[in-house]
C-alpha cells in the first residue's frame, strides 16, 4: 500500500558548493568493498534505482544519469636500505645492509564509469 510506496521513494541527489569552491554531492552512497562480487552488488543496487522510460529507439531507456566510481588502493610494506649499521633493535633475520624500518607505499587509482540518460 501507501507505506510500501514511501519506502521505495528515492532520495534526491544534489550538488552543492562546499568550502574552498569544492563540489559536494549530497545523497550519494559510498561503500567499502573487499572483492569483485561486493563491488558488482553495489553496481546492481545502483542500477535498480535508475529511472527508465520508453523512447523510439529503446523500450527501456534510462532517464537518469549514473556515475559509478571505483577507487582501488594498493599498499605494500618494504624493508628500508641501511645507510649505516642497523639499529640495535634490528631483526637479526634481515640481510646485512637492511634496517628494521619499513616503508609503506600506497598506490591509488580511481575510475569513473558514466552512463548518460538517453545516450543510446
Amino acid at each position: 500500500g501507501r507505506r510500501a510506496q514511501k519506502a521505495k521513494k528515492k532520495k534526491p541527489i544534489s550538488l552543492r558548493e562546499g568550502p574552498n569552491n569544492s563540489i559536494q554531492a549530497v545523497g550519494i552512497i559510498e561503500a567499502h568493498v573487499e572483492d569483485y562480487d561486493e563491488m558488482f552488488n553495489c553496481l546492481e543496487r545502483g542500477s535498480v534505482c535508475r529511472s527508465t522510460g520508453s523512447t523510439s529507439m529503446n523500450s527501456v531507456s534510462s532517464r537518469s544519469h549514473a556515475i559509478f566510481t571505483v577507487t582501488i588502493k594498493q599498499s605494500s610494506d618494504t624493508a628500508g636500505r641501511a645507510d649505516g649499521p642497523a639499529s640495535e633493535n634490528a631483526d637479526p633475520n634481515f640481510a646485512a645492509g637492511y634496517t628494521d624500518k619499513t616503508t609503506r607505499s600506497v598506490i591509488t587509482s580511481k575510475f569513473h564509469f558514466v552512463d548518460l540518460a538517453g545516450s543510446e
Side-chain angles (χ1 to χ4, degrees), residues 30-33 39 68-74 107-113:
E30 184 173 330
H32 178 87
V33 298
M39 182 189 69
F68 186 72
T69 301
V70 177
T71 304
I72 300 171
K73 290 186 180 181
Q74 176 184 357
I107 298 171
T108 303
S109 301
K110 188 176 272 193
F111 301 92
H112 298 286
F113 301 93

Side-chain angles (χ1 to χ4, degrees), residues 3 6 11 13 17 19 21 28 31 41 44 46 51 53 63 66 75 85 87 89 103 114:
R3 178 169 233 155
K6 284 185 179 182
K11 292 181 181 178
I13 296 173
E17 186 174 348
N21 293 325
I28 63 171
N41 285 337
E44 285 182 323
S51 299
R63 289 288 173 239
S75 62
S87 72
N89 296 329
T103 303
V114 178

Side-chain angles (χ1 to χ4, degrees), residues 80-86 97-99:
R81 184 83 177 137
D83 292 333
Y98 285 87
T99 69

